[in-house]
Amino acid sequence: MVVAKSPLSLDPLVDRADPAVRDVGQLLYRRVLRLDGQASPVGDLAQTWGVSGDGLSYRVAVRDGVLWSDGSRLTVKDVQATVALVQADGFPDAGLAASWHGVAVTPATDGTSVVTFTLPQPRAAFAAALVDLPILPAASVARLTPATLGTAASRPMPVSGPFQVAAADTTHVRLVPNRHAGVTSSLHAVDLRLMKTFDAAAQALAAGQVDGLVAGTPAQRTVLQHMPGVHVHDLTTFRFVDLLFNERRPGLDDPAVRRAVATAVDRKQLIASVLGGDARPQVGAIPAGIRWIAPSQQDEPSVALSARALDAAGWVAGGDGVRGKGNARLAYTLTVPNAPPLPAVAGAIASQLRGLGVALTINVVKPEEFEPTVLLPQNFDLVIADWDNGPDPDVSSFWRSNATPPHGFNVSGAPPDLFLDRALDSLATVDDPRLRRVAAGQVDARLAEDTPAVFLYAPEASFGVADTFDRVRLPDVGTSASRFDGIAAWRKLGV
């Protein structure tokens, strides 16, 4: 397991930006809700759950009989204590705290295991917040404050997941089955080796010193795929990569140009040539990993159709092959962070659009400089960016008219679209899955009309596991931590 720092945080509320912390947290703690195979929220600690008609109240009945690893009962008090800690002044994870801002947690007064979450305004993505929050034991939380979270993070607490911590130091974390979890595990223990680099971890896998490893980039997945005795499982993530236009630039202010570019991009060729096939094409705004919302558009690239559309709009190729109209030429700088595989993706896009008469000069910048110096100040012609939307289809922070920096990431410069805003508001607030699918289709339709961006693909994470293991079944979608959803059924051959 590749870690950002060691010792690894055993508290899933600390150092959440480190994927290894989230991975281990998946093994140790349960949530109120979890995601099913279509990335739709279903009950985990919740026996039943429902939403009020106005969308303001989520009523959850916590399962009876759930025990912590010390044998004590998991109750509504544990849920209350965890939320209170996240809402406390000074909690270090601002993003997690924001998702719980203003939420009231009220236990039932009749002694039942029911808790009601009351929101300040309707927010359908709150179900994703219930998926994202690991519930900690109230007795342990009582000894914590936002200031002491970091110092206590390496000390094990009682857990509710299928495994508990037996030992941990700067190089290893040993987990053993939690006998109070109510799950029978085929594995007697899980030993996690903490390594600083993927290369070191890959060498350990090749040498048979470890049995599994996660790869997050095409280059890393290629290493796993060419490693003998290793079977690779792919998970489509909730991220998406897009080609974003700055509509303030001459030429890019013409929707005919943006639509022509969108029609010319061949996603399947891009994925095959640059990503080794390890991604899912994405045409609309909703990440492809959110399977319960079917895509409303199909990938049908045609350079010929795009060329005819540009001809009809008056964009004529000059002697150098670059199209122009008046004083404007379709020659731009495409800025991309130096985070593989994005520079290679930029090169492939530039190659595809060259035949259309659009010339792109690629500008590669340091990843830490991309957002503050390029994206947020809108200092670009076009950019390619990799976004993480999470498991909810609400994409308001990217496309709503008022989601301009610092309130969001709508940096395209598109004029306000009241119809798009209305569709986004519906997608963000209605809870009924059917109505959300309708709203998602409306969002895609409005974005296709204006085309502020070309949606390219949803990245995949891959898990390479030694073929000495049997019954390793992974979900098709999720985060890297999702590989552990069925770990209790994994079995090592001959054991």
Side-chain angles (χ1 to χ4, degrees), residues 190-425:
V190 176
D191 286 308
L192 305 174
R193 291 190 57 184
L194 311 181
M195 300 186 179
K196 293 295 186 182
T197 67
F198 175 84
D199 289 342
Q203 291 174 10
L205 178 61
Q209 298 168 350
V210 298
D211 297 307
L213 176 62
V214 166
T217 69
Q220 292 175 353
R221 290 194 292 271
T222 298
V223 171
L224 293 185
Q225 290 163 353
H226 289 84
M227 194 175 292
V230 173
H231 186 71
V232 179
H233 305 257
D234 295 324
L235 296 91
T236 303
T237 69
F238 304 126
R239 293 155 48 205
F240 67 92
V241 174
D242 65 1
L243 173 69
L244 182 63
F245 301 105
N246 187 341
E247 297 185 26
R248 306 169 188 84
R249 299 292 192 260
L252 298 180
D253 57 354
D254 185 345
V257 171
R258 302 193 301 273
R259 292 175 198 146
V261 170
T263 305
V265 170
D266 189 333
R267 295 167 180 81
K268 292 180 180 178
Q269 191 274 334
L270 170 70
I271 291 170
S273 63
V274 177
L275 306 176
D278 293 328
R280 284 179 59 86
Q282 182 169 321
V283 182
I286 310 303
I290 304 177
R291 293 281 178 86
W292 61 274
I293 294 189
S296 58
Q297 303 178 58
Q298 300 299 316
D299 184 17
E300 299 176 349
S302 174
V303 174
L305 286 176
S306 294
R308 288 200 291 270
L310 289 178
D311 289 340
W315 293 94
V316 181
D320 58 357
V322 178
R323 292 178 181 267
K325 183 168 68 173
N327 294 324
R329 298 176 76 246
L330 302 186
Y332 303 103
T333 298
L334 171 56
T335 303
V336 61
N338 190 16
L342 297 185
V345 170
I349 293 294
S351 179
Q352 289 187 8
L353 296 184
R354 194 172 298 122
L356 183 63
V358 178
L360 298 179
T361 301
I362 299 173
N363 175 38
V364 180
V365 301
K366 295 178 180 179
E368 62 271 19
E369 295 177 356
F370 179 68
E371 185 174 307
T373 67
V374 176
L375 196 67
L376 297 184
Q378 295 104 61
N379 184 27
F380 64 89
D381 297 334
L382 300 96
V383 296
I384 288 179
D386 184 334
W387 309 93
D388 190 343
N389 186 71
D392 190 85
D394 179 13
V395 290
S396 301
S397 62
F398 301 105
W399 305 117
R400 206 182 189 288
S401 297
N402 63 354
T404 53
H407 307 293
F409 294 97
N410 186 349
V411 295
S412 67
D417 183 337
L418 297 182
F419 295 101
L420 174 59
D421 286 349
R422 187 178 303 165
L424 286 166
D425 289 345

Side-chain angles (χ1 to χ4, degrees), residues 1 8 10 12 20-31 69 134 159-165 173-178 181 183 185 187 189-192 480-488 490:
M1 178 173 288
L8 183 71
L10 302 176
V21 172
R22 288 178 171 264
D23 291 355
V24 174
Q26 191 86 350
L27 290 164
L28 300 180
Y29 293 97
R30 296 177 67 176
R31 278 82 170 155
S69 54
V159 299
S160 56
F163 288 85
Q164 64 185 56
V165 178
V173 175
R174 182 173 178 81
L175 307 178
V176 295
N178 172 13
V183 177
S185 174
L187 301 177
V190 176
D191 286 308
L192 305 174
S480 62
S482 302
R483 70 188 186 275
F484 294 135
D485 285 353
I487 190 173
W490 295 9

Side-chain angles (χ1 to χ4, degrees), residues 115-181:
V115 60
T116 300
F117 302 93
T118 305
L119 282 59
Q121 61 271 330
R123 177 163 53 96
F126 182 68
L130 292 172
V131 170
D132 191 43
L133 183 68
I135 300 303
L136 306 184
S140 298
V141 171
R143 297 190 291 269
L144 297 174
T145 66
T148 61
L149 272 172
T151 57
S154 61
R155 295 196 296 267
M157 294 182 288
V159 299
S160 56
F163 288 85
Q164 64 185 56
V165 178
D169 57 30
T170 57
T171 60
H172 293 80
V173 175
R174 182 173 178 81
L175 307 178
V176 295
N178 172 13
R179 64 187 180 89
H180 292 291

